[in-house]
Amino acid sequence: MDDLRTWEKEHGRIPKDSILLLKTGFANYWPDAQKYLGTAEKGPDAVAKLHFPGLHPEAARWLVGQRTIKAVGLDTASIDYGQSTLFESHRTLFEKNIPAFENVAGLDQLPAKGAFVIALPMKIKGGTGGPLRIVAWLPGK
């Protein structure tokens, strides 16, 4: 919440129908699984060892209730923090049909606001997620 309030104080209210992209800096750790995910282990036993930031559930609820956004993306492996077992941010966003984009690369190349985002998901019948081709266009560049 503090990060969102600070951003709005500096840049103004999050515009209606925005795609909100969160730069945590964790993209810098890719492809080192130990640093990016918190563990290099794989499989069910590794899940409890995941460690990376995500969108706090309180912030997800605030975005859904106080702002009108089209999607949220970030540069980590999940919209929820690594050790989440309740997946509250997922549920809060998805209940309002707001998709989450995960593992977004190149956020360090975007300005704080003003980029146009094109996000093209692959539709997978019966799937709970899928690959996403996401690009940004910077007007005047």
Side-chain angles (χ1 to χ4, degrees):
M1 289 303 309
D2 289 343
D3 291 336
L4 293 173
R5 288 187 185 108
T6 299
W7 189 94
E8 285 196 333
K9 202 175 281 186
E10 185 175 339
H11 302 285
R13 185 181 173 103
I14 297 168
K16 184 179 182 203
D17 296 335
S18 290
I19 293 176
L20 181 66
L21 299 175
L22 307 171
K23 180 178 70 174
T24 69
F26 261 60
N28 295 332
Y29 301 139
W30 181 260
D32 183 329
Q34 180 66 45
K35 289 182 180 177
Y36 186 69
L37 298 172
T39 182
E41 294 179 36
K42 295 180 180 178
D45 292 338
V47 174
K49 298 174 185 174
L50 294 173
H51 186 82
F52 50 81
L55 177 65
H56 193 281
E58 179 183 332
R61 287 188 289 274
W62 180 81
L63 287 167
V64 165
Q66 302 299 317
R67 299 293 180 269
T68 306
I69 57 170
K70 292 291 187 181
V72 178
L74 77 172
D75 58 354
T76 67
S78 176
I79 199 72
D80 280 286
Y81 68 97
Q83 295 177 326
S84 175
T85 57
L86 300 176
F87 305 103
E88 293 174 87
S89 294
H90 274 90
R91 292 193 331 246
T92 297
L93 295 172
F94 294 176
E95 284 173 357
K96 298 297 183 181
N97 204 29
I98 299 171
F101 308 150
E102 300 163 338
N103 296 305
V104 178
L107 294 180
D108 58 329
Q109 299 173 43
L110 298 179
K113 64 179 187 175
F116 289 90
V117 174
I118 301 166
L120 306 167
M122 179 187 294
K123 293 184 178 184
I124 300 175
K125 185 177 182 177
T128 60
L132 174 75
R133 174 81 58 181
I134 182 170
V135 296
W137 172 62
L138 302 173
K141 301 270 179 181

